[in-house]
């Protein structure tokens, strides 16, 4: 679940990014409308949702909405703005926004509105991902495992472990390169030279091993990593 956050107020942007990162979203935060457009147009990046401020340097949130909709891009969009007059809401919704939140707002409302948008999102259908005996639930941002006794047990994952496992579950039995994981699972501002991918892989593997899946994520030497689905679980 990757969100593009376009907000030019540094304090507010930082608070939103921090809050949503805790909810297991990957949050790319930019402060300029033109820069935002570069990311939206990048075919390598797949966003689940966008949060757009109205007044921005470069391109406004309204212009970003209009450009996306002109390209028939159905990305769910939440507009953020201090404008609270009825006419402004109409302009925002007519430009193609799916929802609208007036500043100042409480973070709990923003999170609830994002969950609601996510439930309606064509990008997130189905709302669950079942791979082998693992099940990822987008509504609760959890992964659970079917135990030998037939119960489901939620694996307590950190935000990054969840995001990493989600990406593997979306690409079972495929070799995923380290750079690919870096680009798809980490924020765009992350340092690509750091060793975060192998470090996170170790943590995720350790956790999966605790829950009875020690062999699920294989290192394919010199190539990358692969989530191996045993045939019996088909
Ligand atoms: Ca602004």
């Amino acid at each position: 679940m990757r969100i593009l956050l376009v907000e030019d107020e540094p304090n507010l942007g930082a608070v939103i990014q921090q809050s949503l990162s805790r909810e297991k979203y990957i949050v790319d935060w930019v402060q300029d409308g033109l820069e935002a457009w570069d990311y939206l147009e990048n075919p390598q990046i797949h966003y689940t949702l966008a949060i757009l401020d109205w007044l921005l340097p470069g391109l406004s949130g309204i212009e970003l909405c209009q450009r996306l909709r002109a390209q028939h891009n159905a990305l769910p969009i939440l507009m953020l703005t201090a404008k609270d007059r009825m006419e402004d809401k109409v302009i925002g919704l007519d430009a193609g926004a799916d929802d609208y939140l007036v500043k100042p707002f409480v973070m709990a409302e923003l999170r609830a509105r994002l969950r609601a948008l996510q439930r309606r999102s064509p990008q997130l259908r189905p709302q669950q991902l079942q791979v082998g005996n693992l099940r990822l639930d987008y509504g609760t941002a959890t992964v659970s495992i079917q135990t030998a006794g037939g119960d489901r047990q939620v694996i307590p994952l950190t935000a990054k472990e969840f995001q990493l496992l989600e990406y593997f579950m979306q690409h079972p039995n495929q070799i995923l390169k380290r750079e690919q994981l870096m680009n798809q699972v980490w924020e765009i501002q992350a340092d690509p030279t750091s060793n975060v991918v192998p470090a996170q892989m170790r943590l995720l593997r350790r956790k999966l091993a605790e829950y009875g899946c020690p062999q699920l994520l294989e290192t394919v030497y010199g190539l990358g990593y692969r989530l191996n689905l045993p045939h019996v679980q088909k």
Side-chain angles (χ1 to χ4, degrees):
M1 299 183 289
R2 191 179 197 111
I3 291 184
L4 180 67
L5 166 64
V6 194
E7 172 54 73
D8 61 330
E9 278 176 46
N11 292 338
L12 181 61
V15 168
I16 297 175
Q17 186 182 39
Q18 209 174 33
S19 167
L20 298 184
S21 297
R22 278 199 298 268
E23 300 287 303
K24 302 195 173 84
Y25 294 102
I26 302 166
V27 186
D28 291 334
W29 171 31
V30 295
Q31 303 189 27
D32 177 282
L34 283 167
E35 196 187 349
W37 185 246
D38 283 345
Y39 290 121
L40 289 167
E41 277 207 311
N42 185 334
Q44 306 298 320
I45 310 179
H46 304 288
Y47 289 109
T48 313
L49 297 160
I51 302 173
L52 307 178
D53 187 25
W54 183 304
L55 296 173
L56 293 164
L59 283 174
S60 73
I62 291 294
E63 286 169 311
L64 285 169
C65 262
Q66 287 167 337
R67 281 192 180 198
L68 282 169
R69 300 313 185 217
Q71 294 190 350
H72 306 289
N73 186 325
L75 179 71
I77 294 173
L78 176 80
M79 290 286 303
L80 289 185
T81 172
K83 293 169 181 270
D84 60 352
R85 294 180 309 144
M86 183 52 77
E87 307 89 278
D88 293 329
K89 291 185 189 176
V90 171
I91 292 169
L93 295 170
D94 279 349
D98 297 283
D99 199 4
Y100 197 104
L101 194 54
V102 175
K103 297 174 186 177
F105 53 85
V106 289
M107 217 42 83
E109 182 174 3
L110 174 64
R111 291 194 300 263
R113 284 176 183 263
L114 292 179
R115 285 195 297 273
L117 275 181
Q118 205 175 290
R119 283 195 292 274
R120 304 197 294 267
S121 163
Q123 270 84 345
L124 275 185
R125 256 184 219 127
Q127 302 288 317
Q128 287 185 337
L129 200 55
Q130 179 86 37
V131 172
N133 51 7
L134 294 178
R135 182 190 296 161
L136 186 149
D137 184 299
Y138 283 108
T140 54
T142 55
V143 176
S144 60
I145 184 163
Q146 179 116 37
T147 62
D151 309 331
R152 284 219 152 260
Q153 208 173 6
V154 171
I155 307 176
L157 299 168
T158 64
K160 196 49 78 190
E161 289 165 354
F162 174 87
Q163 293 157 2
L164 199 50
L165 186 54
E166 176 195 12
Y167 194 70
F168 276 103
M169 289 175 74
Q170 288 167 338
H171 303 88
N173 295 325
Q174 293 177 32
I175 295 174
L176 305 178
K177 294 187 176 126
R178 188 194 285 203
E179 308 83 76
Q180 185 180 353
L181 292 169
M182 188 80 214
N183 290 334
Q184 299 296 330
V185 184
W186 269 262
E187 290 70 19
I188 46 181
Q189 292 89 354
D191 174 10
T193 58
S194 71
N195 250 358
V196 289
V197 175
Q200 279 297 333
M201 286 299 297
R202 274 194 297 278
L203 293 171
L204 178 58
R205 274 206 184 108
R206 194 180 304 165
K207 204 157 278 180
L208 291 172
E210 280 172 34
Y211 283 80
C213 305
Q215 313 292 339
L216 192 65
L217 297 175
E218 178 194 6
T219 300
V220 185
Y221 285 99
L223 291 174
Y225 306 93
R226 182 168 54 204
L227 184 154
N228 286 318
L229 264 191
H231 302 299
V232 289
Q233 288 176 343
K234 279 222 158 151

